[in-house]
Amino acid sequence: MIAFTVLGGYLGAGKTTLLNHILSHCDGRRLGVLVNDFGAINIDASLVANRNGSRINLTNGCVCCTLSDGFSEAIETLLADPNPPEHILVEASGVADVRQLAQYGRAPGMSLDGIVVVVDARTLPAKVNDKYVGTTIRRQLAAGDLILLNKTDLIGDDACRDHLAWLQREYPLSRVLPCRNAELPVALLLGVGSTREPAAMSHGEHEHYATWSFTSEAAVTRTRLERFSQQLDPSVLRAKGTSAAATGPALLLQAVGTRREVSTIEHAPAGTYLVAIGLQDQLDTQVLDRLAADCFSPAESG
Amino acid sequence: MNTIYPARKIITMNPSNPEGTHIAVRDGMILGVGPLEDLTGWGDYRLDTTFADKVIVPGFVEAHAHVMAGGMLQHPYVGYYDRPLPDGSISPGIRSYDALIERLREIDAAMTDPAEALLAAGFDPIYFADQPRLTRHHLDRVSTTRPIYLHHASGHLATANTAMLALNGVTADLRVEGLGRDAQGELDGELREPAAMSLCKSAFREIQRANMTHQAIHYFGALANNAGITTCTDLGGLSILSERSLEAWRTITSEDSFPLRVVQYNLPAMPGAAADFDALADQFVALRHTQTERFRFGGVKFVLDGSIQGFSALLNPPGYYRGEDHGQLLAVPDQLKAWLLPFHRAGLSIHLHCNGNRTQDLAIETIEQLLKEVPAPDHRHTITHAQLTTQAQLRKMAKLGLCANFFTNHLWYWGDQHYEITVGPERANALEPCASALREGVSFSFHSDAGVTPLGPLHTMWCAVNRVTPKGRILGPAERITPAQALKAATIDAAYQLHMDAEIGSLEAGKAADFTILEDDPLNVDPMAIRDIGVWGTVLRGRPCKAAG
Ligand SMILES: [Zn+2]
């Protein structure tokens, strides 16, 4: 399964900064980047050169106006590499329909990891009411699993609070996070690379975030994993898990924002591994421990 | 030696010399139009009476069509309306699901390889709005074993049969949102938007690839010739970016028998296009030095929004009449001026696709800024489609020197749908406001947007003159124009839009000998009969090109 993430947001919101941030903190992951935009790319080439296996592929233009298969061909080109990426990242154009783009991440062999939409805190009120792009930006926000309210350092605390509250009220299915320079833990933005490495975000700079993990040698049923995912506390911003018996197909749990999906994958390490990420002051690991015990205890039928 | 053609009537579109009975030609150039005695003084001549009982008008100029018009006909056409084919015959419109199934069964029966996929194009669900959606079950009635892929006219949708879904491993557990489903959650075979369509990869790609074949160009030439067109744009392709594609165009258009002058417009904002628009503008200007008689480079086109019938055009209030608003810009407004600037500065013609009037506001504002920054007294930039152009926009366009290219065929093909569903009565009556454009002084032409609708200037003229819908409505009688005004839009004004009016578009001494040969006089037949006038063919640079069939 190739993970697939769409980065959206209007011109100037900080998408490229976000992409460069991810590229410089993605140690160990092989990323493939598709820039689905017009004109030149502003990716810091030195970042790409220094990272093992990362590569950049530009698809110029907007899929929605070409009505062609060009985008899926661009994905194919990335995957045809002898050392193909494990995660594809799409930087969408400022007016792209990110929800449509995200559907490429649901093709066979792909797994939609999330839609991340960045907004510039300074221009949020003006842009969502803009004559030309207002509805497009609202559509992008509605599609975002995670909405990053960026550049909060450039507005006052009150304005920031108001914006966060407004966004969360308007887009209850998204999770809204404030940030500056688009700096957030990569494990939160791209999902947990591997459920066996919950320390993926141990960098000290992200002291605001906490993780929770669960390991068991036994596999669980799909029903139980689905029940667990549905009961996940809203304080969980991201979760990923796999469960597999020694042989046969495995289960994959992915949660981002308020979206929770359980699907069947070809294989995974035997046993059950779960990781969740949330804000330090919100993530209640005891609640998660109890939920896991509740859902996965052998006595529980299902 | 000169050739002099007598004709029943010659309409020149040259105001100084509007009509004549004879036209003299030397080496592909017009020597003059008049009575015979005005032309014999040019020297030895041969009198060619081929057109003696016919009406000669300037060669039609189509300023918005696509090579796709030819490409798509490599697959069976199953649209609602009749479609002329390159050989001059007609593929009849398909008006019911039963007729569709019947037609597909015939194609299936004629195919020899049982595993080969059956691809067909042109189906449009908007004409079947009163029925349940077409599903894979309908197509399964054609075959449960042969994969079938029905590409819709809009390009946004397709319907696959069960065998096609199975071939591509498309199953109900996929979460792709564009997969149509029935009430039980089973796939119904509808694929919406490219992400879902590309799940049936080989079929979708085959449909795209058809537009890039040599056959597509040959068909394009034949269709245009059959419709009486002598100069036709391929408005928005990638041709200039691939050496192979350029070569194909060059080779085919240089064949003596190729019956059409093609004007290429490039789409810079496309996948695979150059990232650097300055370099692209230079490249385009350089290509102009290599152009030939029948292969020209016009300028660039930018697609700024979607379509009205797809509800993806961006509309000003009060917005769509019925149906959900999916209006969306396909360009970033804050970047648009910067995108256009290199092409504008290079003196290239810019055509902006605007279906919605809000999008058109953006186009007009941007061009105004562009002209303030880099004044260009004779730019002739064009709003193409321009369907919902308002009176205020026309006044502004006249001041800025913007041209309009109206999609008059919409009045017929979707006029009733616009009236009843998309924009409602008042704005449906104001669609393609030709009379207002004349009054306000905005130079305009018409287009077919072929393959969206068939190539056929007589049809686009007929729409502008009559504004009649299939249900018998007259949409906005006040916007009707006269046949003479319509003929002007289809010839000299279209040539003007392409900066070619000194060379083509009217029958005038010194200009290219491009004529369209008609069986009747479009200015004197019953206006409702204009679209039925027979087309003998054309003369292109003095060479007769007889229509097929
Ligand atoms: Zn077009």
Side-chain angles (χ1 to χ4, degrees), chain A residues 288-301:
Chain A
L288 287 165
D289 284 338
R290 272 201 301 279
L291 179 64
D294 204 33
C295 293
F296 304 139
S297 77
E300 183 77 12
S301 67

Side-chain angles (χ1 to χ4, degrees), chain A residues 111-136:
Chain A
S111 146
L112 178 60
D113 180 73
I115 303 174
V116 179
V117 176
V118 200
V119 282
D120 182 339
R122 295 169 303 174
T123 57
L124 174 68
K127 284 299 173 199
V128 295
N129 293 311
D130 183 83
K131 174 179 174 183
Y132 296 120
V133 294
T135 51
T136 297

Side-chain angles (χ1 to χ4, degrees), chain A residues 34-50:
Chain A
L34 289 169
V35 180
N36 184 56
D37 206 346
F38 314 92
I41 16 174
N42 300 310
I43 293 169
D44 186 342
S46 64
L47 290 177
V48 182
N50 292 338

Side-chain angles (χ1 to χ4, degrees), chain A residues 89-109:
Chain A
L89 217 59
V90 180
E91 182 185 346
S93 96
V95 291
D97 185 332
V98 289
R99 186 167 180 149
Q100 288 289 350
L101 266 182
Q103 302 314 313
Y104 287 95
R106 292 181 146 143

Side-chain angles (χ1 to χ4, degrees), chain B residues 64-66 68 235 301 303 353 384-385 407 447-450 452:
Chain B
H64 185 159
H66 305 278
M68 172 206 31
L235 196 76
K301 174 195 179 189
V303 178
H353 156 132
T384 192
H385 297 326
F407 198 168
H447 64 272
S448 62
D449 199 10
V452 177

Side-chain angles (χ1 to χ4, degrees), chain A residues 143-158:
Chain A
D145 293 310
L146 300 176
I147 296 174
L148 311 189
L149 182 68
N150 195 20
K151 310 189 187 183
T152 53
D153 49 327
L154 304 179
I155 61 168
D157 288 349
D158 287 351

Side-chain angles (χ1 to χ4, degrees), chain B residues 284-412:
Chain B
F284 211 90
V285 170
L287 279 169
R288 286 188 135 184
H289 296 297
T290 72
Q291 67 186 14
T292 62
E293 172 58 42
R294 290 195 291 276
F295 190 50
R296 309 292 182 94
F297 297 93
V300 289
K301 174 195 179 189
F302 286 83
V303 178
L304 301 189
D305 69 355
S307 72
I308 304 171
Q309 72 275 26
F311 299 91
S312 51
L314 194 65
L315 265 52
N316 275 325
Y320 286 95
Y321 187 52
R322 309 204 189 293
E324 201 183 327
D325 185 345
H326 296 285
Q328 170 150 31
L329 284 179
L330 301 179
V332 180
D334 297 285
Q335 289 177 329
L336 186 57
K337 190 182 62 161
W339 289 355
L340 304 185
L341 201 55
F343 306 105
H344 175 72
R345 199 176 266 139
L348 294 166
S349 153
I350 298 171
H351 286 223
L352 298 170
H353 156 132
C354 303
N355 269 312
N357 50 11
R358 176 159 281 192
T359 313
Q360 197 162 333
D361 276 348
L362 174 68
I364 293 169
E365 283 169 19
T366 307
I367 294 286
E368 184 173 20
Q369 292 165 16
L370 199 64
L371 291 170
K372 282 178 180 161
E373 210 167 305
V374 181
D378 190 22
H379 56 83
R380 308 186 198 180
H381 297 327
T382 297
I383 309 282
T384 192
H385 297 326
Q387 300 204 64
L388 290 163
T389 306
T390 63
Q391 298 293 324
Q393 287 173 336
L394 285 171
R395 288 186 284 270
K396 188 99 188 171
M397 287 169 68
K399 289 245 168 64
L400 296 173
L402 273 167
C403 302
N405 191 353
F406 294 122
F407 198 168
T408 52
N409 271 3
H410 256 258
L411 295 164
W412 171 256

